[in-house]
Amino acid sequence: MYTTNASRGLPRHRSRHLAERYTRWALRGVIAALVIALLWLVLAFHLNGQWMFALLFLLLGGSLGVVFTKRSLMSHRYIFPAVAGLGVFVIFPLIYTFGISFSNYSSTNLLSEERVRSQLMSQTYQEDDDAFDLTLYAEGDLVRLRLENERQRWMSSPLNLANVESRQLGLQAASDAPIADPLPMRDIIQARSALQGLRLITPEGTELRMAGIRQFAPMLDRYEAREDGTLYDRREDRVLTPDHTLGFFVADDGQRITPGWPVNVGFSNYTQIFTDPDIRGPFMQIFVWTFVFASLTVVFTLAVGFVLASLLQWDQLRGKAIYRTLLILPYAVPAFISILIFKGMFNQHFGEVNMILDTLFGVRPEWFTDPWLARSMLLIVNTWLGYPYMLLLCMGLIQALPRDLYEASAVDGGGPISNLFHITLPLIIKPLTPLLIAAFAFNFNNFVLIALLTGGNPDILGASTPAGTTDLLVSYTYRIAFQDAGQNFGLAAAIATLIFLLVAGMSLLNLRLSKVKV
């Protein structure tokens, strides 16, 4: 006999079978909803002209549907979220950045050509010497507009200025004498939003728009589109020709009309880094400093961590657990808090460091204005932030060393210093090397320290881009992209690509030293 389910009276294996079927259908429903959502994103990005994002989500949606519907790919379902995240947040940004590095993408070349053309076509200008003075008159809860100049006078029908929507309104001839006392200036200011949305049409068909706080004037379309793709500038009486090598509309005299649109510039961003003297000089200076900073940080943190780890292994030292806890505390404090505390301590006028130096030696170093002192301050602070990591690594490696080596050294007359440099350091340096390379790569891109402590200052004089003597390549790239007046994203992307190649090379070296097959 079957063992029945108490609640439904069904055989137990049949109940389990139904539950599994419902679970499969529920999973399929979730997958179908995700695929539909991704396809909707594909359509949305495609309609907005973002074909790269549309392609990304198309690939993501297609791969999601294939992996979760084919039984032969069942084993890949568990790794798919990680791979999808890697593609969306790592691979795609790298490809996108690499693509931008071959363009003139910047704050002046930001929109598509169609949007640039549309923006220019929407520009208007006021016809000279044909403005009308504006006066408002109350008529119950409504208001009439009176427009007049030396030649003509117009009056509107009553309207409600509480309505701020754009609308057209016809005008009619007005009498010479005003119909009532005009409303004060404050009422015009309060109704400014509604007045700006009005399009007033004279009996001759001329359209008047608000041209000042108390004026309406004929506003004419500035540009006229022609069949050959050029634009005629009515105001300046000139022709603008689209230049697809520059990404701008160019006037007859060579003037570029902003905004422009991104175009392919080939390797010009890369060649500019090494050929433009105003960029090459600061770039090479920052490049060298980045290597020196990362290298010295690794050396200093390793030296401090190694010495402290060796001292903590001293058999005659009591209270090791307390010392370990105290020495690792800087690792537990969030880095941005420690950096901001050090920024206050190194303050040139009120910081504790300068107060102590002034009391003892009568000097007050200018930590934030002198390039070499600023760099020294960065190394001091970064050593404090990084030595606990090296301490933990060295402690673990030293504890794994066989004790009989030290006993044999003691028989031969070896002391603590000779043991330190002839036994301990040689034995731990090989397994420590890949971790040191990883630490070098991390400090090579240590953006947080630079951004919070010095901001890259003091500046490098004569640089055509925002560049500081304490900038690393990563902070230099950030300043070019987001703090420069031109926001040259193409140049920043080229530098970011070079940084990626350097870090990727170091990572490959790390894998080789770790004897990992790639």
Side-chain angles (χ1 to χ4, degrees):
M1 295 180 64
Y2 288 114
T3 302
T4 59
N5 186 294
S7 60
R8 298 190 177 186
L10 297 174
R12 182 173 297 173
H13 75 277
R14 184 180 178 187
S15 176
R16 184 170 58 251
H17 179 69
L18 290 175
E20 292 175 354
R21 178 183 295 179
Y22 293 149
T23 301
R24 286 196 299 269
W25 280 106
L27 178 61
R28 291 173 182 174
V30 171
I31 298 302
L34 288 175
V35 171
I36 292 173
L38 291 173
L39 293 177
W40 181 85
L41 288 175
V42 170
L43 179 61
F45 280 115
H46 175 69
L47 293 177
N48 283 277
Q50 300 289 338
W51 64 271
M52 289 191 65
F53 288 93
L55 181 61
L56 169 67
F57 286 104
L58 180 61
L59 292 175
L60 188 62
S63 59
L64 178 67
V66 172
V67 170
F68 281 87
T69 54
K70 296 192 67 174
R71 290 183 175 272
S72 60
L73 299 176
M74 183 178 295
S75 60
H76 297 275
R77 297 176 183 177
Y78 303 99
I79 197 65
F80 179 80
V83 175
L86 179 68
V88 173
F89 299 109
V90 178
I91 298 177
F92 177 75
L94 288 175
I95 296 175
Y96 194 70
T97 301
F98 184 68
I100 290 176
S101 68
F102 292 96
S103 71
N104 63 342
Y105 192 48
S106 63
S107 60
T108 57
N109 299 80
L110 194 61
L111 306 176
S112 64
E113 182 179 356
E114 293 76 13
R115 293 185 63 184
V116 170
R117 185 181 294 271
S118 176
Q119 189 176 64
L120 292 176
M121 292 297 295
S122 65
Q123 292 184 15
T124 59
Y125 70 99
Q126 178 182 339
E127 190 174 358
D128 296 336
D129 301 327
D130 202 11
F132 292 83
D133 295 329
L134 169 66
T135 310
L136 296 182
Y137 295 93
E139 187 169 317
D141 294 335
L142 304 178
V143 173
R144 284 182 181 268
L145 280 68
R146 181 183 174 90
L147 304 176
E148 60 180 321
N149 59 16
E150 296 179 354
R151 297 179 288 104
Q152 294 174 309
R153 298 179 182 85
W154 308 108
M155 180 71 73
S156 72
S157 58
L159 70 154
N160 182 10
L161 291 182
N163 183 5
V164 296
E165 296 180 359
S166 297
R167 46 187 167 159
Q168 287 188 351
L169 191 67
L171 297 175
Q172 58 188 5
S175 60
D176 295 342
I179 57 177
D181 293 333
L183 294 177
M185 184 64 181
R186 65 174 180 272
D187 291 334
I188 298 180
I189 296 175
Q190 292 175 357
R192 185 174 183 177
S193 297
L195 294 173
Q196 288 176 339
L198 293 178
R199 301 293 183 263
L200 305 180
I201 309 299
T202 66
E204 292 85 1
T206 303
E207 181 180 308
L208 306 180
R209 303 179 193 176
M210 195 174 189
I213 192 62
R214 298 202 65 167
Q215 280 191 333
F216 272 73
M219 303 299 291
L220 305 179
D221 293 330
R222 179 169 180 176
Y223 295 101
E224 174 188 345
R226 293 184 172 179
E227 294 182 357
D228 58 357
T230 61
L231 300 178
Y232 174 65
D233 188 349
R234 293 191 179 100
R235 184 174 184 178
E236 302 294 337
D237 190 22
R238 59 184 180 178
V239 176
L240 307 182
T241 304
D243 190 328
H244 296 285
T245 60
L246 299 176
F248 288 98
F249 279 96
V250 180
D252 301 331
D253 57 358
Q255 179 185 358
R256 300 178 183 181
I257 308 301
T258 57
W261 59 91
V263 294
N264 184 14
V265 295
F267 289 91
S268 63
N269 288 320
Y270 293 94
T271 58
Q272 186 181 9
I273 296 174
F274 301 102
T275 58
D276 188 341
D278 294 334
I279 296 179
R280 183 183 64 236
F283 175 81
M284 296 305 300
Q285 182 176 338
I286 293 172
F287 178 79
V288 173
W289 161 240
T290 301
F291 265 93
V292 171
F293 169 80
S295 302
L296 291 181
T297 295
V298 172
V299 172
F300 292 160
T301 54
L302 175 61
V304 175
F306 175 68
V307 170
L308 292 177
S310 300
L311 291 176
L312 290 175
Q313 303 303 315
W314 189 22
D315 294 334
Q316 298 180 2
L317 181 65
R318 295 184 178 182
K320 295 181 181 178
I322 298 176
Y323 285 120
R324 288 194 188 101
T325 303
L326 293 176
L327 291 174
I328 296 174
L329 274 179
Y331 201 50
V333 179
F336 77 93
I337 294 178
S338 299
I339 294 171
L340 293 178
I341 291 174
F342 273 106
K343 188 173 184 178
M345 293 175 61
F346 278 97
N347 185 280
Q348 298 174 181
H349 304 289
F350 310 104
E352 289 79 1
V353 174
N354 272 11
M355 291 176 61
I356 295 173
L357 294 177
D358 189 22
T359 302
L360 296 178
F361 306 106
V363 295
R364 302 182 70 90
E366 297 179 349
W367 296 103
F368 292 92
T369 55
D370 184 270
W372 291 105
L373 289 177
R375 291 168 176 169
S376 301
M377 176 181 62
L378 284 173
L379 290 171
I380 293 171
V381 174
N382 209 31
T383 301
W384 170 265
L385 296 174
Y387 88 82
Y389 174 70
M390 294 297 178
L391 172 63
L392 291 173
L393 295 178
C394 293
M395 284 174 55
L397 292 173
I398 291 174
Q399 290 176 357
L401 297 179
R403 305 304 301 175
D404 55 355
L405 294 176
Y406 297 96
E407 295 173 359
S409 175
V411 172
D412 293 338
I417 301 299
S418 61
N419 290 340
L420 190 68
F421 290 101
H422 293 91
I423 298 177
T424 305
L425 185 60
L427 289 177
I428 70 170
I429 195 64
K430 186 174 182 179
L432 199 60
T433 299
L435 299 174
L436 296 179
I437 296 175
F440 177 88
F442 171 80
N443 287 286
F444 196 87
N445 292 320
N446 197 340
F447 174 78
V448 174
L449 176 66
I450 305 302
L452 294 182
L453 191 57
T454 64
N457 296 317
D459 290 331
I460 297 177
L461 300 179
S464 61
T465 55
T469 53
T470 59
D471 266 321
L472 303 181
L473 285 176
V474 63
S475 62
Y476 177 52
T477 304
Y478 174 83
R479 295 180 70 181
I480 291 175
F482 300 105
Q483 294 184 349
D484 189 15
Q487 293 186 327
N488 195 336
F489 301 117
L491 179 61
I495 298 176
T497 302
L498 295 178
I499 295 175
F500 167 73
L501 294 176
L502 289 171
V503 176
M506 289 184 290
S507 300
L508 182 61
L509 178 62
N510 188 3
L511 294 174
R512 293 296 185 187
L513 292 175
S514 302
K515 295 183 179 180
V516 177
K517 293 183 179 180
V518 294

